[in-house]
């Protein structure tokens, strides 16, 4: 049983870091594309740029639109930048404000404007 446990732990050590770091490149591409300033609302949002709540399985409307355009998990940086450009012109959940306008105003694109 001991060799099995060691093998399982070794496999987890290889697999888990990859799974845990799969999405930060999207946030980095977003920050690069929109020149997000350190300390801004968009910078502080972290995963909540695209997700809502504690579960990363739940996407806000912006995250859902971006995921739809990406069409796959673990897209490349270039694919992510293309998707960001396609999504920015879509209208947010308020049905009148484009995502890009919210982003330029340092507001979270996945939340209804206030």
């Amino acid at each position: 049983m001991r060799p099995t446990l060691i093998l399982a732990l070794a496999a987890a050590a290889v697999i888990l870091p990859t799974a845990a770091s799969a999405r930060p490149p999207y946030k980095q591409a977003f920050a690069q594309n929109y020149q997000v300033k350190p300390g801004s609302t968009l910078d502080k949002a972290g995963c909540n740029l695209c997700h809502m709540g504690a579960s990363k399985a739940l996407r806000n409307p912006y995250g859902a639109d971006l995921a739809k355009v990406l069409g796959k998990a673990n897209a490349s940086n270039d694919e992510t930048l293309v998707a960001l450009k396609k999504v920015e012109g879509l209208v947010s959940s308020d049905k009148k404000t484009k995502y890009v306008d919210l982003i330029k105003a340092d507001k979270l694109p996945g939340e209804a404007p206030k």
Side-chain angles (χ1 to χ4, degrees):
M1 181 164 148
R2 194 170 202 155
T4 305
L5 178 61
I6 292 170
L7 183 59
L9 290 174
V14 171
I15 294 169
L16 289 179
T18 304
S21 64
R23 300 302 188 269
Y26 296 161
K27 185 176 183 292
Q28 291 167 353
F30 182 94
Q32 169 193 356
N33 191 58
Y34 297 110
Q35 301 170 350
V36 175
K37 292 178 177 50
S40 66
T41 299
L42 295 172
D43 180 52
K44 291 177 186 176
C47 296
N48 288 327
L49 280 170
C50 297
H51 297 278
M52 55 188 180
S55 172
K56 299 305 173 237
L58 298 175
R59 291 188 179 100
N60 61 38
Y62 176 76
D65 285 341
L66 185 59
K68 193 183 309 179
V69 171
L70 279 171
K72 66 178 181 179
N74 301 315
S76 71
N77 189 62
D78 289 341
E79 292 169 324
T80 303
L81 291 172
V82 168
L84 288 170
K85 285 295 184 190
K86 287 182 179 178
V87 170
E88 72 181 18
L90 299 178
V91 178
S92 70
S93 60
D94 74 347
K95 307 291 187 232
K96 52 187 172 180
T97 310
K98 290 183 180 181
Y99 288 131
V100 70
D101 295 328
L102 293 170
I103 293 165
K104 286 179 180 179
D106 192 32
K107 295 182 179 178
L108 297 179
E111 291 183 357
K114 296 171 184 155

